[in-house]
Amino acid sequence: MIKAEHITKRFDDITAVDQVTAEIREGYVFGLIGTNGAGKSTFLRMASGVLKPDEGTVTIDGQPVWENPAVKSRFFYISDDQYFFPNSTPQEMMQFYRNLYPAFDEKRFAHLLESFGLKKDRKIHTFSKGMKKQLSVICGICAGTDYLFCDETFDGLDPVMRQTVKSLFANDMAERNLTPVIASHNLRELEDICDHVGLLHRGGILLSRDLDDMKLNLHKIQCVLRPGMEESAIVGLDVVKKEQTGSIYTLTVRGEEQQVRECMEACDPLFYELIPLSLEEIFISETEVAGYDIKALIL
Amino acid sequence: MRVQELCGTAVMQHGNCAAWDSCGCRGEQREGGSVIVLDYKDRRPLYEQVAERFRELIVRGILLPDTQMPSVRSQAMELSINPNTIQRAYSQLEQQGYIYSIKGKGSFVADTGGIMKEQRDRWREEFTGLAQKGVTLGISREEMEAILQKAAGKPMEQGAGGRQAEQDADRKQTGQDDAGKQVEQGSAGEKREKEGGKDS
């Protein structure tokens, strides 16, 4: 398990990550979502020991990550801006990683390179952006580590490749309990694959929860009240957001479905409907509550 | 192949997906097409969808008792989703008695006779209630029968698992000869009904 405890990172006068505490359990996909500049990448770079937190610690199974090669060999970090040695080929990169990761699976590397149609002796700088991404995913998968940190890895891959990479992840999760940690703002992508989601906003963690719980705990209600009825008649709901168009109210509420339904039944509106929220809508309503409502600024 | 016939729209998500040659299954044989397919517009959690699709396949008798379920790993790879999602769906199915698992061997389809009987009994009760409500609302017998015809025309009831369903249908439809006529008109309304059912 990866544990980040109250980690803070400042760059001059900017606080990129502020007192973030999070737990990443083994065998589950952890999705790190957040607004632009929320500190997702900084968090990952601290988790992988690239940056030293100004405050707090990151540990894997109790062992600190910072300057600890033994722990570092347990994860592979795919940066959003991957680095390959100048003039190197996939073959050479593989030799480099093989030295760092004892469990590196050479055979599989060769097989995957071939299936992805990447030549092992072509110079990497002649690869396209997407091909470079593919190469680092292949390196990461074959490194045989317990954790795989992916920073915006799916961006820049075409849909077929994305599905393929997800299948690869699924295979390794089932086979050797790989734990992918995926930072992204492509929520559609994360929705399909994540078990647990940490939502970062302005350096702080807004919530960290199982995706399904999150979905079951936030609902959108559309309702039409009886004539003469005040909206204040709806009681007992934890309303996060309220919108009104004519006589139709759209409420975003927290709570369990059963409880929400009971509340609605009790105040007997003309009509009501519960609409499940997508991760994207959850993201929008949670960040909006935290004061991130860009639409309000431009409209 | 029976599965493909019945869920024609549902199979072959990966049929045109070149990914399978390169998906890293390391030379492992892939069995047929995907048995289930996900609707990414459906907003329910994915595991519920997976469980529901399998329930349908089991109830319709496409997956017969004691058939082995696809392994969590292969199913997750097939759908490109998290193995934990599949695991969760399987746990739900097991809890509800649709499948059983043998340690070290995998999951198998259970004999759903008991559950089906229970569900049919419940349906009979509900349906009786609905029919009575229809009578009170002044719905004509013909109209009700037309609806029954439509429902009976669903491919679902023609599947191998429809054995008992057909008997039930027979019981409800005594005295109706022109069954075939209305089947074709049924398809549009049928879809609507299906979608409506999902929402609830």
Side-chain angles (χ1 to χ4, degrees), chain B residues 12-186:
Chain B
M12 303 308 289
Q13 188 196 14
H14 278 296
N16 50 3
C17 163
W20 277 110
D21 301 324
S22 55
C23 70
C25 42
R26 287 182 279 178
E28 216 169 89
Q29 200 74 58
R30 184 164 69 95
E31 321 129 26
S34 179
V35 194
I36 58 167
V37 140
L38 299 170
D39 175 5
Y40 286 103
K41 284 184 190 142
D42 193 323
R43 288 166 165 226
R44 291 169 311 161
L46 282 179
Y47 79 92
E48 273 184 25
Q49 275 194 57
V50 173
E52 190 193 86
R53 297 281 192 277
F54 273 115
R55 264 199 302 270
E56 269 175 34
L57 291 175
I58 293 169
V59 169
R60 290 183 196 179
I62 296 164
L63 289 173
L64 294 168
D66 302 322
T67 321
Q68 181 155 19
M69 297 283 285
S71 75
V72 170
R73 191 186 74 136
S74 67
Q75 194 60 59
M77 288 186 71
E78 193 108 339
L79 298 171
S80 295
I81 60 171
N82 192 328
N84 294 323
T85 307
I86 306 287
Q87 189 56 57
R88 201 163 173 176
Y90 279 17
S91 309
Q92 197 188 57
L93 289 172
E94 194 174 340
Q95 223 173 38
Q96 294 167 342
Y98 288 93
I99 61 174
Y100 62 94
S101 64
I102 299 177
K103 217 163 186 173
K105 281 194 174 166
S107 304
F108 298 84
V109 178
D111 183 4
T112 50
I115 314 174
M116 290 316 296
K117 189 180 175 300
E118 207 177 286
Q119 288 198 350
R120 290 198 173 106
D121 285 345
R122 202 178 317 145
W123 174 84
R124 269 181 210 112
E125 225 170 84
E126 278 171 29
F127 193 73
T128 313
L130 269 182
Q132 275 163 358
K133 197 173 174 189
V135 173
T136 350
L137 287 173
I139 310 267
S140 72
R141 193 195 161 98
E142 285 70 34
E143 202 175 331
M144 284 192 214
E145 277 164 0
I147 294 169
L148 277 178
Q149 292 290 3
K150 269 188 201 170
K154 277 188 194 176
M156 159 176 166
E157 309 288 274
Q158 295 165 351
R163 288 159 297 185
Q164 210 174 330
E166 271 164 37
Q167 288 170 16
D168 290 340
D170 285 344
R171 214 172 300 153
K172 297 273 168 204
Q173 287 179 18
T174 35
Q176 290 197 25
D177 300 315
D178 52 347
K181 249 190 212 170
Q182 309 197 15
V183 172
E184 281 166 33
Q185 307 170 353

Side-chain angles (χ1 to χ4, degrees), chain A residues 16-35:
Chain A
V17 170
D18 190 11
Q19 295 283 333
V20 167
T21 298
E23 275 184 11
I24 299 172
R25 287 171 300 162
E26 256 160 73
Y28 294 91
V29 185
F30 190 91
L32 204 53
I33 59 178
T35 48

